[in-house]
Amino acid sequence: MTKKQVITIAGGGSTYTPGIIQAVLKDSERLPLEEIRLYDINQERNDDMKLVIDFMLKQEGHDNVKLISTENPAIAFTGCDFVFSQIRVGGMKMREQDEKIALKHGLVGQETCGLGGFAYGLRSMGGLLEVVGYVQQYAPEAWILNYTNPESIISEAVRRQYPGIKMINACDMTISIEDTMAANYGYDHTNWVSSYYGLNHFGWYTEIYDKELKRDIMPELIEKLISQKMDVTDANAGDTSWQEAFGMMSVITKDFPTHIPNNYLEYYLYPDMVVEKADKNYTRANMVMNGREKNTKEMANKIREGKTEDVLNFNFGVHGEYIVDMATSILNDEHRRFMLIVPNQGAIPNLREDAVVEVPAYVGATGVEPISLRNPIPDFHKGLMEAQVAAEKLLVDAYFEGSYQKALQAFTLNQTVPSARVAKIVLDEMIEANKEYWPELS
Ligand code: NAD
Ligand code: G6P
Ligand code: MN
C-alpha cells in the first residue's frame, strides 16, 4: 500500500487552495493523505483557509487527515513528501501596480507578460528561492510542484541556484485551453495526445491526436477556431476578461493558421490592441480582488458564522486536477503526459540548449522525461522565442548580479516594448514601487 502522504502548500492562503484540495480529495485513492500543511507568511489568510479546508475535510469524510496552518518553515516542511507552491510575493496590491504602471506608459499591463511580468519576476524570485531553500533544509527528498509565476523566470532562477532540484514547473494554461476547445467544439480532451512547443505563456500546438478518433484533429480545430470564438466553460465561466482572452485565440489563429496558439501570445503579437482595450484604472488585479479574493474571504466568514449551506458549491476544475495528476504520476509511477516547463537541452533542437521551454513530458517515479521535437521549429516562432528567452535571462542576471544595466536590457528587449526610452521610464518607476521587494539594482 502506498504510504500516506504529507502535502505542504506554500502560499496556503492562496485563492487556489480550495480547488487543489478538492482535487486531492477526489483522488485520495491514488494520493492517500496523512496530513495537509498550509504554509503562508500571512497568518490571517492562512487561518481563514484552514477553516475552509477543515470544513472540506469533514464534509467529504476525511476528518482523519491532519491539518495545520503555520508561518514556521520548520513546522511546514520537515518530513513532507510534496510541496505545492503557489505564492504571490507582494500580493494582488503589487500585481495592480505592475499592471497600472505599464499601462500608464502605453504598454501592456499584465501579470506574467510584458513589463508587469518582469516586475513580478524580480519580486517572485526571492520569495520562491526562500521556499526552495527551506525545502532543501527540512525535506530535501520532497518533490516541489510549482505553480508560482512567472514560471519561466522562476524556473531559470531556481535551477541556477539549485541545479538538480526535485522541482516540476507547470502551468495550467495548456490543459485549460484543451478543456475549453473540447467543450466548445464537441470533443473529449482526455482522448488527446497533444504536441506543443514554446516558452511559458508563449507557445504553439503542432498536433492534437485524438486516440478515439484515431487522427490529428488540429486542422479541424483550427477551422473551428477561425469560424467560431470559444465561450469560457470552466471555473472562469462568465468572466469577461477570460472570455476576451479565449476570443483572442481566434484572432491569432486567423492571422497565423499554421498552429493553435497559446492565448497569452496576444500580449506579444498584438500589444497595441491589448492596450487600446484596457481600462487603465481598473485592471485584472482589481477584478480578481473584487472577485476571487473576496469570495474566498466570504467563504471563510460563512463557515465561521455556521452558514455552510452551498459554501463548497464550486468547481475549480482543471487547475487543481493538473497538479494532483502530477503528484500521483510521481507517486504511482504512472508516466502520464503533461506540458511542463523544463530546461531545453535539445528538446527544441534549433533553440539554445539553456533556454527554459514548455514541451510535453512524461512524469514518473524518477521525475520528468521531456520529449524531443526532433524537427527544427520555424523562424517566426524561433525568432520570437529567442528574443523572449534572452530578455528573461537578462532579468535573472539582473536579479543575481543586482545589475541595473541588465534590468534595463531585459526591459528593452521585452517584445511588448517599442523603445528603450519607455523601458527606462517604466523601470525607474517600478524600482520605486518595488522598494520593499526587489534587490537593489545599481
Ligand atoms: P494570492 O495572492 O491569492 O495567494 C498567494 C498567497 O501567497 C498569499 O496568501 C500570500 O500571503 C502568500 N505568500 C506571498 N509571499 C509568500 C512567501 N514569501 N512565502 C509564503 N507565502 C507567501 O494569489 P493567487 O491568485 O492565488 O495566485 C497564487 C500564485 O499562483 C501566483 O504566483 C499565481 O501567478 C500562480 N498561478 C499560477 C498558475 C499557473 O498556471 N502556473 C495558475 C494560477 C495561479
Ligand atoms: C492562468 C495562467 C496562470 C495565471 C492565471 C491568472 O491560469 O496559467 O499562470 O496566473 O491564469 O488568472 P487570474 O484570474 O488571476 O487573472
Ligand atoms: Mn500559467
Side-chain angles (χ1 to χ4, degrees):
M1 244 198 52
T2 317
K3 171 184 148 318
K4 286 191 171 179
Q5 302 291 296
V6 177
I7 297 177
T8 300
I9 301 195
S14 156
T15 47
Y16 288 97
T17 299
I20 288 179
I21 299 301
Q22 187 181 53
V24 170
L25 298 183
K26 217 168 94 187
D27 234 339
S28 58
E29 267 181 31
R30 289 189 305 157
L31 185 60
L33 268 190
E34 169 81 31
E35 183 175 355
I36 297 169
R37 300 179 187 163
L38 304 177
Y39 168 70
D40 205 293
I41 52 169
N42 183 325
Q43 194 184 343
E44 189 187 321
R45 292 177 69 108
N46 214 21
D47 287 348
D48 270 2
M49 194 51 68
K50 187 181 173 208
L51 211 63
V52 173
I53 304 306
D54 184 52
F55 180 75
M56 283 180 96
L57 289 173
K58 291 191 174 122
Q59 188 89 342
E60 308 277 323
H62 290 276
D63 12 14
N64 57 332
V65 174
K66 194 174 164 200
L67 173 69
I68 62 159
S69 62
T70 180
E71 293 166 273
N72 180 329
I75 296 172
F77 298 108
T78 301
C80 72
D81 299 295
F82 285 102
V83 177
F84 293 175
S85 151
Q86 45 168 0
I87 67 171
R88 185 186 290 284
V89 177
M92 285 292 167
K93 278 279 155 215
M94 288 310 296
R95 175 178 179 176
E96 183 183 13
Q97 289 298 305
D98 296 344
E99 293 168 349
K100 290 188 175 169
I101 293 172
L103 270 172
K104 187 169 109 191
H105 296 284
L107 303 181
V108 168
Q110 214 279 327
E111 179 201 19
T112 61
C113 300
L115 298 188
F118 275 11
Y120 186 18
L122 284 173
R123 286 197 302 280
S124 202
M125 281 185 268
L128 200 81
L129 283 167
E130 184 183 74
V131 168
V132 173
Y134 292 143
V135 181
Q136 292 302 289
Q137 185 179 353
Y138 297 115
E141 291 308 314
W143 274 99
I144 304 170
L145 307 187
N146 182 56
Y147 262 156
T148 300
N149 268 320
E151 287 265 18
S152 300
I153 290 162
I154 287 294
S155 177
E156 168 87 23
V158 171
R159 281 166 217 283
R160 279 196 204 182
Q161 188 151 325
Y162 300 101
I165 183 86
K166 283 174 79 176
M167 177 168 84
I168 298 183
N169 281 79
C171 165
D172 64 13
M173 205 59 240
T174 53
I175 189 72
S176 163
I177 288 172
E178 289 170 34
D179 192 44
T180 308
M181 287 196 297
N184 273 270
Y185 302 135
Y187 297 87
D188 176 357
H189 76 86
T190 60
N191 292 329
W192 292 359
V193 183
S194 299
S195 299
Y196 176 97
Y197 62 77
L199 315 173
N200 181 230
H201 292 182
F202 200 113
W204 295 266
Y205 285 90
T206 56
E207 181 182 317
I208 299 181
Y209 182 79
D210 189 306
K211 288 187 280 187
E212 200 59 35
L213 301 171
K214 299 197 185 344
R215 62 169 191 267
D216 175 12
I217 58 164
M218 195 175 84
E220 59 206 75
L221 284 172
I222 288 178
E223 277 179 24
K224 290 178 159 75
L225 271 167
I226 290 174
S227 60
Q228 186 204 327
K229 285 189 178 178
M230 295 189 286
D231 287 327
V232 186
T233 50
D234 63 1
N236 288 316
D239 182 316
T240 52
S241 51
W242 275 108
Q243 187 61 49
E244 289 219 10
F246 281 112
M248 281 303 285
M249 281 181 66
S250 290
V251 174
I252 305 172
T253 311
K254 212 176 262 174
D255 284 343
F256 303 100
T258 55
H259 296 68
I260 294 180
N262 190 302
N263 59 290
Y264 276 94
L265 282 163
E266 70 170 302
Y267 300 110
Y268 300 99
L269 297 176
Y270 308 89
D272 50 347
M273 257 173 94
V274 168
V275 173
E276 227 167 78
K277 277 189 295 189
D279 181 345
K280 294 181 177 54
N281 301 311
Y282 194 80
T283 58
R284 182 68 194 160
N286 299 111
M287 294 177 207
V288 175
M289 282 187 272
N290 291 326
R292 206 166 63 231
E293 206 165 47
K294 224 169 153 188
N295 296 343
T296 309
K297 184 85 200 159
E298 268 169 23
M299 205 190 276
N301 284 340
K302 279 190 182 163
I303 291 171
R304 202 171 274 120
E305 292 160 14
K307 297 180 190 151
T308 53
E309 203 183 319
D310 280 349
V311 82
L312 298 181
N313 188 10
F314 60 78
N315 180 11
F316 280 103
V318 290
H319 175 88
E321 286 159 16
Y322 204 54
I323 196 165
V324 169
D325 282 345
M326 271 175 252
T328 66
S329 205
I330 293 171
L331 192 62
N332 308 312
D333 197 28
E334 288 165 9
H335 287 272
R336 291 159 73 125
R337 184 173 165 122
F338 300 87
M339 233 55 94
L340 296 178
I341 299 151
V342 295
N344 185 23
Q345 294 170 335
I348 303 173
N350 56 338
L351 190 77
R352 58 192 280 186
E353 289 275 312
D354 63 351
V356 172
V357 297
E358 190 166 325
V359 289
Y362 289 90
V363 173
T366 56
V368 175
E369 295 174 49
I371 63 165
S372 162
L373 292 179
R374 293 195 299 279
N375 297 318
I377 61 170
D379 272 338
F380 178 53
H381 301 175
K382 181 167 175 270
L384 287 165
M385 283 164 68
E386 274 171 348
Q388 181 68 11
V389 168
E392 287 172 357
K393 284 201 178 278
L394 284 163
L395 192 84
V396 178
D397 289 347
Y399 173 82
F400 282 111
E401 296 166 21
S403 165
Y404 179 90
Q405 179 56 212
K406 290 276 181 77
L408 180 58
Q409 289 179 8
F411 272 49
T412 305
L413 192 54
N414 189 295
Q415 293 293 285
T416 64
V417 177
S419 133
R421 185 190 65 85
V422 71
K424 190 168 191 318
I425 293 170
V426 173
L427 174 60
D428 290 344
E429 207 166 318
M430 284 180 165
I431 287 175
E432 268 307 297
N434 282 278
K435 265 193 190 134
E436 249 185 87
Y437 302 101
W438 282 11
E440 201 171 278
L441 301 175
S442 56

